[in-house]
Amino acid sequence: IEQAKRPLQGLEAAAEPADGKLLRFVPTKGKKTPKDEVSLRDIDPVQFQVIVRGNATPLETLDQKMAYMRVHPGALYLNQHMAYFVEELDMTGRIAWVVP
């Protein structure tokens, strides 16, 4: 029972020990938080890149579900207030080719 009363190590909880001083857990520098370690966009293993034809850098990366909804051939794709026409959705290369 005594072990259950001691604060658990590594939790972000405040505990008041017998001497009356307040102790707090402070994460160490350099350690990433869970939200920084795992991106919710990377849950789906199938990712499509949206690339402007003639340019090598992708505008955005979309998971498979969003790619089918937003960058199907003939769609108008909006990215940062710019409209792009989707020419092709390459299923094998997982690339959506767009033009301004």
Side-chain angles (χ1 to χ4, degrees), residues 15-66:
E16 193 167 329
D19 63 0
K21 293 182 181 177
L22 188 64
L23 298 177
R24 275 214 176 124
F25 170 75
V26 179
T28 59
K29 290 186 178 186
K31 183 173 169 139
K32 292 182 178 180
T33 61
K35 71 174 184 65
D36 293 331
E37 289 182 4
V38 178
S39 172
L40 293 178
R41 292 180 183 263
D42 294 337
I43 290 176
D44 189 358
V46 180
Q47 299 286 312
F48 283 80
Q49 292 185 334
V50 180
I51 301 177
V52 177
R53 198 164 298 276
N55 194 345
T57 52
L59 288 175
E60 187 176 5
T61 302
L62 301 170
D63 64 357
Q64 187 174 14
K65 178 183 170 185
M66 291 304 292

Side-chain angles (χ1 to χ4, degrees), residues 63-84:
D63 64 357
Q64 187 174 14
K65 178 183 170 185
M66 291 304 292
Y68 290 152
M69 289 190 326
R70 295 178 61 194
V71 291
H72 57 83
L76 284 178
Y77 171 70
L78 298 174
N79 183 286
Q80 296 187 6
H81 304 288
M82 287 256 331
Y84 297 91

